[in-house]
Amino acid sequence: TVGQPGVAVAAGPVVRPCPGRIRHFKI
Amino acid sequence: VPLGLGLGYKELNCDDPETEQAALVAVDYINSNLLQGYKHTLNQIDKVKVWSRRPMGEVFEIEIDTLETVCHVLDPTPSANCSVRQLRQHAVEGDCDFRVLKQNGQFSVLSAKCDSSPDSAEDVRKVCPSCPLLAPLNDTKVVHAVDAALAAFNARNNGSYFQLVEVSRAQLVPLPASTYVEFAVAATDCVAQDVTDPAVCNMLAEKQYGFCKSTLTEKLGGEDVAVTCTVFPTQPVLPQPQPDGINIPSSMVSSATPESPPDAVVVGPLV
């Protein structure tokens, strides 16, 4: 990723939209 | 993802409020149409695709995971008030595929397909090495425990004779040697104290169901039976709307989902 000086570049993993949150526990 | 990528659908975030709304409608549908076992609650939304529908509306194609609660389907307690069956009690999950239509802001279920399965013995052992696992419902010890519990309940019951509707779950406990069972019952037109042949008793037209929990403990030269039953208020039978192409009997369903359930009556424990 090339960024402009002084411009913040998004870092970290891409947020996956699915699956969603676990409400209780996973079997 | 916007429409028009050649796939014909958009992908929403699984935790998007609109996706959650569709998922909750799906879970309500499950609980309204289950004829046996326990109510389920939403655990996770796995996938969602939203298709445009002509001439109007959207169809949510949604995959959800559910978990069994401790409330029997005949129990009028709202599912929101039912706690989830814990891993130590041998939890059961459901995997469901739904198609839910959203039209004029209203959701309705078009199709549903669910499978449920208990947690693996290995997983239960991981969290609780000594916890009893679910036993087959036709196990001879289970059948005997249910018969003994129902007989004990009816022996102390001054009202209607209650007959067995279903055995819902059972666990064989090694120490002390005992059998734990949960089962559903229904009132009949016989008086409990007068019954000589239960086979001639018929369920009441206006169904009155109950749910019992019992432990039969084996003793030297005998056994102890402890049973507690909750008898639910009678419910009128109402027709239930069904999705296109699906025909599910509704006589038991409607009685399990009143809008504002009256208080249940707990009878027991009886020893």
Side-chain angles (χ1 to χ4, degrees), chain A residues 17-27, chain B residues 13-15 20 43-45 65 84-85 119:
Chain A
C18 287
R21 67 189 171 91
I22 297 169
R23 288 156 180 79
H24 302 282
F25 50 80
K26 196 71 181 169
I27 290 183
Chain B
N13 189 314
C14 276
D15 288 335
E20 293 200 345
N43 191 37
Q44 188 177 34
I45 299 168
D65 287 343
V84 172
R85 173 112 34 217
D119 196 4

Short mmCIF file of all heavy atoms in Angstrom, two decimals, chain A residues 17-27, chain B residues 13-15 20 43-45 65 84-85 119:
data_model
loop_
_atom_site.label_atom_id
_atom_site.label_comp_id
_atom_site.label_asym_id
_atom_site.label_seq_id
_atom_site.Cartn_x
_atom_site.Cartn_y
_atom_site.Cartn_z
N PRO A 17 -17.96 -9.13 6.93
CA PRO A 17 -19.34 -8.86 7.37
C PRO A 17 -20.04 -10.08 7.94
O PRO A 17 -20.98 -9.95 8.69
CB PRO A 17 -20.02 -8.39 6.09
CG PRO A 17 -19.24 -9.00 4.98
CD PRO A 17 -17.84 -9.11 5.47
N CYS A 18 -19.57 -11.28 7.56
CA CYS A 18 -20.23 -12.50 8.03
C CYS A 18 -19.18 -13.58 8.34
O CYS A 18 -18.11 -13.55 7.74
CB CYS A 18 -21.18 -13.06 6.97
SG CYS A 18 -22.68 -12.08 6.78
N PRO A 19 -19.43 -14.52 9.22
CA PRO A 19 -20.62 -14.61 10.06
C PRO A 19 -20.67 -13.53 11.12
O PRO A 19 -19.67 -12.88 11.41
CB PRO A 19 -20.49 -16.00 10.69
CG PRO A 19 -19.03 -16.28 10.69
CD PRO A 19 -18.48 -15.62 9.46
N GLY A 20 -21.84 -13.36 11.70
CA GLY A 20 -22.02 -12.32 12.70
C GLY A 20 -21.55 -12.76 14.07
O GLY A 20 -20.94 -13.82 14.22
N ARG A 21 -21.88 -11.96 15.05
CA ARG A 21 -21.41 -12.22 16.42
C ARG A 21 -22.10 -13.45 17.02
O ARG A 21 -23.23 -13.79 16.64
CB ARG A 21 -21.67 -11.00 17.31
CG ARG A 21 -23.12 -10.71 17.55
CD ARG A 21 -23.33 -9.38 18.24
NE ARG A 21 -24.73 -9.02 18.27
CZ ARG A 21 -25.56 -9.32 19.26
NH1 ARG A 21 -25.12 -9.99 20.32
NH2 ARG A 21 -26.82 -8.96 19.22
N ILE A 22 -21.38 -14.08 17.94
CA ILE A 22 -21.94 -15.21 18.66
C ILE A 22 -22.62 -14.67 19.92
O ILE A 22 -21.99 -13.98 20.71
CB ILE A 22 -20.84 -16.23 19.03
CG1 ILE A 22 -20.22 -16.81 17.75
CG2 ILE A 22 -21.39 -17.35 19.91
CD1 ILE A 22 -18.96 -17.62 17.99
N ARG A 23 -23.90 -14.97 20.10
CA ARG A 23 -24.63 -14.42 21.23
C ARG A 23 -24.45 -15.21 22.52
O ARG A 23 -24.54 -14.66 23.60
CB ARG A 23 -26.12 -14.33 20.88
CG ARG A 23 -26.39 -13.22 19.88
CD ARG A 23 -27.66 -13.47 19.09
NE ARG A 23 -27.89 -12.38 18.13
CZ ARG A 23 -27.27 -12.26 16.96
NH1 ARG A 23 -26.36 -13.14 16.60
NH2 ARG A 23 -27.54 -11.24 16.15
N HIS A 24 -24.22 -16.49 22.39
CA HIS A 24 -24.10 -17.34 23.60
C HIS A 24 -22.76 -18.08 23.59
O HIS A 24 -21.82 -17.64 24.21
CB HIS A 24 -25.28 -18.31 23.69
CG HIS A 24 -26.61 -17.61 23.70
ND1 HIS A 24 -27.11 -17.00 24.83
CD2 HIS A 24 -27.51 -17.39 22.71
CE1 HIS A 24 -28.27 -16.44 24.54
NE2 HIS A 24 -28.54 -16.65 23.26
N PHE A 25 -22.67 -19.19 22.91
CA PHE A 25 -21.43 -19.94 22.77
C PHE A 25 -21.52 -20.78 21.52
O PHE A 25 -22.61 -21.05 21.02
CB PHE A 25 -21.18 -20.84 24.00
CG PHE A 25 -22.36 -21.69 24.39
CD1 PHE A 25 -22.66 -22.87 23.73
CD2 PHE A 25 -23.21 -21.28 25.42
CE1 PHE A 25 -23.76 -23.63 24.08
CE2 PHE A 25 -24.32 -22.04 25.77
CZ PHE A 25 -24.59 -23.22 25.10
N LYS A 26 -20.37 -21.15 21.00
CA LYS A 26 -20.34 -21.92 19.77
C LYS A 26 -20.19 -23.39 20.09
O LYS A 26 -19.36 -23.77 20.92
CB LYS A 26 -19.16 -21.44 18.90
CG LYS A 26 -19.23 -21.88 17.46
CD LYS A 26 -20.31 -21.15 16.70
CE LYS A 26 -20.36 -21.65 15.25
NZ LYS A 26 -21.56 -21.17 14.55
N ILE A 27 -20.99 -24.20 19.47
CA ILE A 27 -20.86 -25.64 19.62
C ILE A 27 -19.96 -26.15 18.50
O ILE A 27 -20.19 -25.83 17.35
CB ILE A 27 -22.23 -26.34 19.57
CG1 ILE A 27 -23.02 -26.01 20.85
CG2 ILE A 27 -22.09 -27.83 19.43
CD1 ILE A 27 -24.34 -26.69 20.96
N ASN B 13 -24.22 -6.88 6.07
CA ASN B 13 -23.46 -7.34 7.22
C ASN B 13 -24.37 -8.26 8.05
O ASN B 13 -25.54 -7.99 8.21
CB ASN B 13 -23.07 -6.11 8.06
CG ASN B 13 -22.11 -6.46 9.17
OD1 ASN B 13 -22.32 -7.44 9.90
ND2 ASN B 13 -21.08 -5.66 9.30
N CYS B 14 -23.79 -9.36 8.53
CA CYS B 14 -24.60 -10.31 9.31
C CYS B 14 -25.14 -9.69 10.60
O CYS B 14 -26.12 -10.19 11.15
CB CYS B 14 -23.79 -11.57 9.62
SG CYS B 14 -23.81 -12.76 8.27
N ASP B 15 -24.47 -8.65 11.09
CA ASP B 15 -24.95 -8.00 12.31
C ASP B 15 -25.72 -6.71 12.00
O ASP B 15 -26.00 -5.92 12.91
CB ASP B 15 -23.78 -7.70 13.26
CG ASP B 15 -23.26 -8.99 13.90
OD1 ASP B 15 -24.03 -9.95 14.00
OD2 ASP B 15 -22.08 -9.02 14.28
N GLU B 20 -30.64 -8.76 11.39
CA GLU B 20 -31.06 -9.29 12.69
C GLU B 20 -32.58 -9.37 12.78
O GLU B 20 -33.12 -10.32 13.34
CB GLU B 20 -30.50 -8.44 13.81
CG GLU B 20 -28.98 -8.54 13.90
CD GLU B 20 -28.44 -8.12 15.25
OE1 GLU B 20 -29.19 -7.48 16.00
OE2 GLU B 20 -27.27 -8.42 15.53
N ASN B 43 -28.38 -17.72 17.91
CA ASN B 43 -27.00 -17.67 18.41
C ASN B 43 -26.08 -16.90 17.47
O ASN B 43 -25.31 -16.07 17.91
CB ASN B 43 -26.47 -19.10 18.60
CG ASN B 43 -25.15 -19.12 19.35
OD1 ASN B 43 -24.97 -18.31 20.27
ND2 ASN B 43 -24.25 -19.97 18.97
N GLN B 44 -26.17 -17.16 16.17
CA GLN B 44 -25.29 -16.50 15.22
C GLN B 44 -25.93 -16.49 13.84
O GLN B 44 -26.58 -17.45 13.45
CB GLN B 44 -23.95 -17.25 15.15
CG GLN B 44 -22.88 -16.54 14.33
CD GLN B 44 -21.55 -17.27 14.35
OE1 GLN B 44 -21.49 -18.49 14.41
NE2 GLN B 44 -20.46 -16.51 14.32
N ILE B 45 -25.70 -15.39 13.14
CA ILE B 45 -26.13 -15.32 11.74
C ILE B 45 -24.91 -15.66 10.88
O ILE B 45 -23.87 -15.00 10.98
CB ILE B 45 -26.67 -13.91 11.40
CG1 ILE B 45 -27.88 -13.59 12.28
CG2 ILE B 45 -27.05 -13.83 9.92
CD1 ILE B 45 -28.33 -12.14 12.24
N ASP B 65 -27.57 -19.95 13.05
CA ASP B 65 -27.35 -20.99 14.06
C ASP B 65 -28.22 -20.64 15.26
O ASP B 65 -28.27 -19.47 15.67
CB ASP B 65 -25.89 -21.01 14.53
CG ASP B 65 -24.97 -21.58 13.48
OD1 ASP B 65 -25.48 -22.25 12.56
OD2 ASP B 65 -23.75 -21.37 13.59
N VAL B 84 -30.81 -20.26 27.77
CA VAL B 84 -30.19 -21.22 26.85
C VAL B 84 -29.72 -22.44 27.63
O VAL B 84 -29.21 -22.32 28.75
CB VAL B 84 -28.99 -20.55 26.14
CG1 VAL B 84 -28.20 -21.56 25.32
CG2 VAL B 84 -29.49 -19.43 25.25
N ARG B 85 -29.91 -23.60 27.05
CA ARG B 85 -29.41 -24.83 27.67
C ARG B 85 -27.88 -24.78 27.65
O ARG B 85 -27.27 -24.58 26.60
CB ARG B 85 -29.90 -26.02 26.87
CG ARG B 85 -29.33 -27.32 27.29
CD ARG B 85 -30.25 -28.28 27.92
NE ARG B 85 -31.61 -28.29 27.44
CZ ARG B 85 -32.65 -28.47 28.25
NH1 ARG B 85 -32.47 -28.59 29.56
NH2 ARG B 85 -33.89 -28.52 27.77
N ASP B 119 -24.59 -31.35 21.04
CA ASP B 119 -23.14 -31.15 21.11
C ASP B 119 -22.46 -32.52 21.19
O ASP B 119 -23.06 -33.50 21.64
CB ASP B 119 -22.83 -30.33 22.38
CG ASP B 119 -21.44 -29.74 22.35
OD1 ASP B 119 -20.73 -29.88 21.34
OD2 ASP B 119 -21.06 -29.12 23.38
#
